[in-house]
Amino acid sequence: MTTESIDAECLDLTRNLRRRGAIVLAVFGLVWALAGGSGVAAAAVAVGVVAAAVTAGAVVVAFRGTRGPVTRTVRLPEKWNRGVGLVNTAELVAIFAVIAASNASGHPELIPVGICLVVGLHFFPLARLFDQPQYRWTAILLTALALVGLAVLAAGASAETIRAVVGLGAAAVLWGSSFHVALRG
């Protein structure tokens, strides 16, 4: 293989990972927005429409934004894809554990807070595995949002309010990360 073909491969991998990452972030932003919208019954349809529009916009930007020049190619650690699989599996197991423990303890209102915390924490290793330093901000913001949700819950807010605060906040963080990855790499 020539240096030029290796460089072209690296550029393609960088673009593909960023595009996929931006799309995955946008789609999960939609999921969180719909969950958050369920906490605001009077505006749930409006939230859903806006969420679908923002997600569609993020997907379009993901395709267009990653076509431009690559300013920094990713440097992936050895066996990065195996690491990603392990992190995502641990995240999924932890989410099911949060749901089971919250329901078993009679506190289903803790589910959005717990899931947001798990999702936030899983971005810390993903930042290294995907060589996307901005995922650290995603991790920090989602983790902080989970703590805000816990404080709102401790203040006596309803389960609907918790879903709205955590769900809509998480959607905003994920969409912001999606646009950033697509436009800034």
Side-chain angles (χ1 to χ4, degrees):
M1 254 187 187
T2 67
T3 303
E4 286 178 13
S5 66
I6 292 172
D7 289 345
E9 246 181 72
C10 189
L11 289 175
D12 285 344
L13 177 63
T14 296
R15 280 190 183 99
N16 287 333
L17 285 176
R18 288 184 180 149
R19 183 178 307 116
R20 281 189 229 149
I23 291 168
V24 168
L25 288 163
V27 169
F28 278 103
L30 174 63
V31 170
W32 276 102
L34 295 175
S38 75
V40 190
V45 172
V47 168
V49 169
V50 170
V54 172
T55 301
V59 170
V60 168
V61 170
F63 278 98
R64 289 187 179 161
T66 56
R67 284 188 198 152
V70 174
T71 57
R72 182 185 69 83
T73 57
V74 293
R75 298 188 191 285
L76 302 173
E78 194 172 319
K79 298 183 182 179
W80 66 274
N81 50 353
R82 183 174 187 275
V84 169
L86 291 172
V87 168
N88 288 336
T89 299
E91 176 197 29
L92 191 59
V93 168
I95 287 171
F96 282 120
V98 163
I99 293 168
S102 297
N103 285 330
S105 68
H107 295 286
E109 67 277 6
L110 286 171
I111 292 172
V113 172
I115 291 175
C116 187
L117 179 62
V118 168
V119 172
L121 293 175
H122 110 289
F123 273 100
F124 283 110
L126 290 184
R128 183 185 60 79
L129 291 167
F130 283 122
D131 189 25
Q132 290 296 126
Q134 66 270 42
Y135 285 175
R136 286 187 195 100
W137 284 107
T138 307
I140 290 166
L141 292 172
L142 288 174
T143 302
L145 179 61
L147 297 176
V148 167
L150 192 59
V152 171
L153 181 63
S158 68
E160 291 80 16
T161 300
I162 300 305
R163 279 198 317 272
V165 168
V166 174
L168 298 175
V173 169
L174 293 171
W175 285 328
S177 297
S178 173
F179 282 107
H180 189 272
V181 168
L183 296 172
R184 307 278 302 183

